[in-house]
């Protein structure tokens, strides 16, 4: 799969599949709603979004920053 670069220069998934950042946000929202902040790990979010933990931290930094987003 070819890596695409968006306007920010960050890697994105191919067109039509949604951006990595959006996938992370969608999964995080669902897991935070289901398990609460304390019951949701960044590792669980990364796994649900199909990304590695480093990618999650690249886009959002700490768990609290992802939660705020």
């Amino acid at each position: 799969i070819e890596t695409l670069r968006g306007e920010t220069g960050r890697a994105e998934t191919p067109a039509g599949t949604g951006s990595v950042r959006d996938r992370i946000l969608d999964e995080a929202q669902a897991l935070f709603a289901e398990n609460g902040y304390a019951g949701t790990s960044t590792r669980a979010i990364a796994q649900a979004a199909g990304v590695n933990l480093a990618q999650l931290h690249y886009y959002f930094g700490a768990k609290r920053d992802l939660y705020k987003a």
Side-chain angles (χ1 to χ4, degrees):
I1 296 176
E2 183 180 320
T3 301
L4 302 176
R5 300 275 175 194
E7 292 178 12
T8 63
R10 292 183 173 164
E12 296 181 356
T13 56
T17 60
S19 73
V20 171
R21 186 178 192 283
D22 289 342
R23 282 200 334 259
I24 294 169
L25 280 173
D26 289 345
E27 294 300 335
Q29 182 178 16
L31 289 171
F32 284 136
E34 184 177 331
N35 304 315
Y37 180 82
T40 302
S41 68
T42 53
R43 188 172 306 277
I45 295 167
Q47 184 177 22
V51 301
N52 64 48
L53 198 53
Q55 286 176 296
L56 185 142
H57 288 293
Y58 172 79
Y59 284 101
F60 295 100
K63 178 179 165 180
R64 71 179 171 274
D65 298 323
L66 174 56
Y67 186 77
K68 289 178 183 179

